């Protein structure tokens, strides 16, 4: 009986990680089209040419680990990069617009175009390096 419960627990943990997109996979987005964003997101972007949208879910464990890293980067890049967070459960239309299928997902926008998308948990160093490249 104990083995069965451990296997079920392991399977549930793996499904949870898969659903949250725990592996970090960067992919270049098609930058040919300008992006239309909701009022929630565009209000934050008004102050900067570069924007990072953090798509998360309250139940996603990797998202909870990424949140303090995002907050730290927000302070570091204040005035240079606008950060916004979108709860995919609260704003499913916006998540669908950006084709969000796993969390956390960071969408990087520069000049109104999606220039990169990062799926999964990123370390502070990885995110900082990506943001430094954007501000060059």
């Amino acid at each position: 009986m104990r083995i069965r419960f451990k296997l079920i627990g392991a399977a549930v943990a793996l499904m949870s990680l898969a659903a949250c997109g725990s592996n970090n996979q960067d992919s270049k987005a098609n930058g040919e089209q300008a992006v239309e964003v909701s009022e929630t997101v565009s209000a934050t972007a008004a102050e900067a040419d570069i924007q990072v949208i953090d798509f998360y879910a309250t139940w996603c464990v990797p998202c909870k680990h990424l949140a303090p890293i995002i907050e730290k980067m927000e302070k570091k890049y204040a005035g240079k990069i606008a950060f916004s967070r979108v709860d995919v459960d609260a704003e499913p239309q916006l998540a669908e617009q950006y084709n969000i299928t796993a969390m956390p997902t960071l969408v990087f926008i520069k000049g109104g175009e999606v220039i990169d998308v990062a799926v999964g948990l990123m370390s502070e160093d990885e995110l900082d390096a990506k943001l430094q490249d954007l501000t060059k």
Side-chain angles (χ1 to χ4, degrees), residues 17-28 54 62-63 66 69-70 102-108 116-131:
L17 287 174
C20 289
S22 65
N23 58 345
N24 186 9
Q25 301 170 339
D26 291 345
S27 62
K28 291 286 179 187
D54 174 18
C63 299
L66 184 61
I69 296 170
I70 295 286
M103 281 78 61
T105 294
L106 299 178
V107 176
F108 300 89
D116 203 1
V117 176
V119 178
L121 183 60
M122 296 180 78
S123 72
E124 184 176 328
D125 291 337
E126 289 172 321
L127 181 56
D128 192 30
K130 186 174 286 293
L131 296 175

Side-chain angles (χ1 to χ4, degrees), residues 10-80:
V12 169
L14 285 173
M15 288 187 303
S16 174
L17 287 174
C20 289
S22 65
N23 58 345
N24 186 9
Q25 301 170 339
D26 291 345
S27 62
K28 291 286 179 187
N30 182 355
E32 294 176 9
Q33 297 178 355
V35 177
E36 291 182 30
V37 294
S38 74
E39 292 176 23
T40 307
V41 175
S42 56
T44 308
E47 64 202 48
D49 186 45
I50 301 169
Q51 181 181 12
V52 177
I53 307 172
D54 174 18
F55 287 92
Y56 74 99
T58 56
W59 46 262
C60 172
V61 175
C63 299
K64 292 177 184 181
H65 291 294
L66 184 61
I69 296 170
I70 295 286
E71 288 175 16
K72 190 171 186 177
M73 294 298 112
E74 188 171 12
K75 290 176 186 173
K76 181 175 182 176
Y77 291 96
K80 295 179 183 177

